Amino acid sequence: MSLAVVGISTRADWLQSERAMHRCGGILHYDDLEPCLAEMLDRSALRYSQRVAAVDADGHTITYRDLWTEAAKVAGGLLDQGVGPADRVLVHHPNGFEWLRAFLGVVLAGGVPVLPDPTCSDTEIDWMAFDSGAVLILDGPLPEGVPFLDGGASPDELALLYYVRGCGGDLRGVELTNRNVLSTIEAVGHAMDLADEPGRTVITAPLSTAVGCSVQLLPTLAFGGTAVAAGARGTRVPWRHLRASFPASRCIRGWGVAETGGIGLLLPSEHRRGHPRSVGVPFGGIEVALLGPEAEQGRGELLCRGPSVARGYWNNPAATAEMFDDGWFRTGDQVSIDAAGFVNPVAVLVS
């Protein structure tokens, strides 16, 4: 590919994390992240044990201590059923406490949660279980055993496997490592000031999606906040309903897909008036480039690379070769990027 890399303004200082970064293979990486998702979440649960971790659609609450105790029991039950480190387990529960117990149970057991696209049929669920090599599908009563935590994973080991639909409707498993997931958590946490004001995060997307899980849920849990269900069974909630239900909330505009870790661009609130069509500027170590005949003029296909960008698609070398090249992910979205680094859609961006 012939790339025209566009320089990005750093005027939005709130997007720049204080955590040091270095380049490895040309890609920016955070220094001194936790080694794996399980260890990071376990430390968070111990630190914030008395806080409310989640509120379901019926208003019921659960504390960090109780959630982790129950999730550790699920991990022990998975261990009794033969689930070991790096084994894939497909989580097929609707949004709610059971989904949280199942997902966290797999993570604490050292397994890899396989998260299906919410529109998948039962036949597609079975195919994903086969394609991913899942040893188990969690879609009913959860197993329980002696509480267990496996914290031995490394940064470059697979942490999450999101199945998403390609442009042709085919399902692809997006591979995100511990480093990818923890980088998204760090970027979102800093941009949203979660370390100082953890607050309450309204979960607006299904938890099986990268937006719902990696962008909304996990940063909230990492910094001791409370995840609040926006609607029954985790369906997406219309924006106007959210603003009416949570009038004092802070709403953030952005863009991202599972391949970028769930998010890659954010629009600082102070720049919305001057850039009404923009979906934001890169943050969290994400860099962008343009591909196409008009790339030098600031218009073309958007490409992204950075610490949260996936390494490829599971068991699909053809799609990986088509969409990933030398660390860059081809989004397929046509955009323009202005001199200040703001990305504006030419065609509708997938979010």
Side-chain angles (χ1 to χ4, degrees):
M1 292 189 293
S2 176
L3 304 180
V5 179
V6 179
I8 300 304
S9 169
T10 58
R11 291 186 307 167
D13 294 336
W14 69 288
L15 292 178
Q16 309 307 313
S17 174
E18 295 176 358
R19 188 185 290 272
M21 303 188 80
H22 69 279
R23 286 194 182 272
C24 181
I27 298 174
L28 288 169
H29 290 288
Y30 286 107
D31 292 337
D32 302 323
L33 292 174
E34 295 277 0
C36 66
L37 180 61
E39 288 193 24
M40 186 274 294
L41 290 176
D42 188 57
R43 292 179 191 275
S44 176
L46 290 173
R47 182 177 182 181
Y48 307 115
S49 62
Q50 301 302 316
R51 293 186 184 179
V52 173
V55 181
D56 70 10
D58 296 320
H60 301 128
T61 64
I62 189 169
T63 65
Y64 278 83
R65 180 179 61 188
D66 290 342
L67 179 57
W68 252 251
T69 297
E70 295 176 17
K73 290 179 180 178
V74 173
L78 293 172
L79 185 68
D80 292 341
Q81 294 194 15
V83 175
D87 280 346
R88 285 85 189 280
V89 178
L90 195 149
V91 178
H92 189 41
H93 282 272
N95 275 24
F97 290 166
E98 284 297 278
W99 190 96
L100 287 175
R101 295 183 185 104
F103 172 82
L104 292 171
V106 176
V107 172
L108 297 184
V112 177
V114 177
L115 304 179
D117 183 281
T119 65
C120 287
S121 65
D122 290 343
T123 299
E124 289 174 321
I125 292 292
D126 291 338
W127 178 84
M128 279 184 288
F130 171 78
D131 182 68
S132 66
V135 299
L136 193 65
I137 298 178
L138 295 179
D139 58 359
L142 298 175
E144 289 193 3
V146 177
F148 178 76
L149 166 64
D150 182 300
S154 68
D156 293 320
E157 288 186 67
L158 187 64
L160 298 177
L161 190 57
Y162 288 107
Y163 272 83
V164 301
R165 294 194 186 278
C167 294
D170 60 309
L171 289 165
R172 302 173 177 183
V174 179
E175 296 185 295
L176 293 179
T177 66
N178 282 290
R179 191 191 309 276
N180 294 149
V181 177
L182 294 172
S183 295
T184 295
I185 292 171
E186 168 65 23
V188 172
H190 178 79
M192 296 294 294
D193 298 321
L194 296 183
D196 297 324
E197 300 179 24
R200 295 156 69 90
T201 300
V202 180
I203 306 299
T204 61
L207 288 171
S208 61
T209 64
V211 171
C213 185
S214 289
V215 178
Q216 296 181 338
L217 174 68
L218 292 179
T220 301
L221 296 181
F223 290 95
T226 301
V228 180
R233 300 190 66 82
T235 53
R236 287 187 180 272
V237 180
W239 191 257
R240 64 183 182 279
H241 293 169
L242 281 174
R243 295 306 298 267
S245 300
F246 305 94
S249 64
R250 178 186 181 191
C251 297
I252 299 296
R253 181 186 299 174
W255 170 91
V257 290
E259 290 90 340
T260 63
I263 197 165
L265 308 174
L266 276 185
L267 184 65
S269 57
E270 64 268 25
H271 291 298
R272 285 187 182 178
R273 185 178 300 274
H275 303 270
R277 293 187 62 251
S278 176
V279 289
V281 296
F283 78 114
I286 292 290
E287 297 174 297
V288 297
L290 294 173
L291 178 66
E294 298 181 285
E296 295 290 352
Q297 287 73 51
R299 180 184 175 115
E301 181 184 355
L302 178 67
L303 284 77
C304 299
R305 71 176 181 182
S308 62
V309 174
R311 61 189 184 189
Y313 298 112
W314 165 253
N315 199 29
N316 197 335
T320 298
E322 176 188 4
M323 303 300 291
F324 294 87
D325 183 35
D326 195 28
W328 292 98
F329 167 65
R330 296 187 60 172
T331 68
D333 293 316
Q334 295 295 313
V335 304
S336 63
I337 304 179
D338 63 27
F342 287 88
V343 178
N344 303 284
V346 174
V348 176
L349 287 169
V350 178
S351 61

